[in-house]
Amino acid sequence: RRLPAETLSGLAELLETIRQPDAQHPFRGELLWSLDAVQHTHDKRGRLMLSRMSTIEGFGASGPPIMNLGSIAMPRRETTERVFTEYYEGMIGLSLLTPAERRSAETGIEELEEAIPANQFMLGVMAPAFGSAMQAYDISRTDHIGLRTLIAIERYRAERGELPAALGDLVPDSLSAAPPDPWAGEGPLRFERDESELGYRLYSVGSDGEDNDGKRPEPGRYDIPDQDALNGDAPGTDYVFTR
């Protein structure tokens, strides 16, 4: 059944109180943690003490001192701190972009990971998880925009007895501006009235940046429907909110 206008209005107000996470802050926190770990694992002369590596996360005691002979082949603390800072600053810069802007950026996540020197093994192990973290943020932000838009559409229908002709009709009564599609180079989410039971389709163009007329990906490896349209595993498909 359809929700009444006052309920939809209350949902919209509640959603506005939910503060969306800022992708850059986790990376800044990780940078501080990493620099602290670098300081902990190097001696006063800047040499890496491999025996201290097992103590970073608080697990286990220091390894045997003979392990530290391997520090001859390892970079000094000053170099490691510079590499960590450059990598994280690059990730912070990318986190401030939309997926569409990131897609066309000269330096992306893969390029930052490829630039990590082979002897910076600690950062090399940690780096792949950060790309996944940014992807999770992108999906969360997309779902938030889509949910706000779905509520606004249904609120419009409840108040006027008909669907909007376009998303611009929701402005300014239900939305302050047309909801942007962060995966598209420009423009709002795609909205089309159709003959379905709901009466319309609402979708994002997904990771390929192309409008595929709301084509959904086949069921994938994720429990969340259509997520492959955002993680790059299903080019030629879109991320559909009206499932």
Side-chain angles (χ1 to χ4, degrees):
R1 63 184 176 86
R2 305 248 178 243
L3 294 175
E6 58 268 23
T7 301
L8 291 162
S9 178
L11 285 171
E13 292 176 4
L14 180 62
L15 197 60
E16 290 302 317
T17 68
I18 300 175
R19 185 175 181 272
Q20 278 295 93
D22 187 333
Q24 67 167 311
H25 285 90
F27 288 115
R28 293 194 183 280
E30 286 290 335
L31 172 57
L32 292 174
W33 180 91
S34 297
L35 292 178
D36 186 59
V38 170
Q39 184 178 30
H40 174 72
T41 54
H42 290 71
D43 64 15
K44 293 181 179 180
R45 289 180 289 181
R47 296 181 304 179
L48 175 63
M49 308 300 287
L50 291 171
S51 62
R52 297 180 185 175
M53 293 297 294
S54 61
T55 67
I56 293 179
E57 291 281 6
F59 300 113
S62 299
I66 195 172
M67 292 177 61
N68 297 325
L69 291 176
S71 67
I72 298 174
M74 295 291 110
R76 292 300 180 106
R77 184 175 69 187
E78 180 181 355
T79 300
T80 297
E81 289 175 338
R82 175 179 55 78
V83 171
F84 268 75
T85 301
E86 290 177 351
Y87 173 80
Y88 278 101
E89 289 296 340
M91 290 294 286
I92 289 168
L94 289 174
S95 74
L96 299 175
L97 305 178
T98 66
E101 293 170 335
R102 208 177 300 137
R103 189 170 56 238
S104 59
E106 183 176 340
T107 302
I109 295 175
E110 292 183 0
E111 287 75 18
L112 287 175
E113 292 179 357
E114 291 172 357
I116 298 173
N119 58 4
Q120 293 288 347
F121 64 90
M122 189 163 70
L123 180 56
V125 169
M126 298 163 63
F130 300 141
S132 298
M134 194 177 299
Q135 183 182 87
Y137 168 78
D138 291 336
I139 293 173
S140 174
R141 180 168 180 262
T142 303
D143 281 338
H144 189 84
I145 294 172
L147 180 57
R148 289 178 67 245
T149 307
L150 286 171
I151 291 175
I153 293 171
E154 292 301 327
R155 181 181 172 189
Y156 184 99
R157 171 155 51 186
E159 292 174 345
R160 294 170 174 79
E162 62 179 1
L163 287 168
L167 293 181
D169 294 345
L170 304 174
V171 182
D173 292 342
S174 299
L175 297 173
S176 59
D181 184 349
W183 301 85
E186 57 183 12
L189 295 175
R190 270 50 173 183
F191 170 79
E192 297 175 355
R193 296 173 64 163
D194 60 19
E195 300 301 319
S196 66
E197 182 179 358
L198 190 62
Y200 64 94
R201 285 187 301 173
L202 179 72
Y203 62 93
S204 162
V205 299
S207 63
D208 64 1
E210 301 291 334
D211 186 344
N212 300 289
D213 296 320
K215 180 182 177 181
R216 297 177 60 190
E218 296 295 324
R221 55 196 173 100
Y222 295 96
D223 293 333
I224 302 174
D226 296 5
Q227 189 162 310
D228 282 346
L230 298 184
N231 61 28
D233 288 346
T237 63
D238 299 321
Y239 189 62
V240 182
F241 299 103
T242 48
R243 301 168 186 143

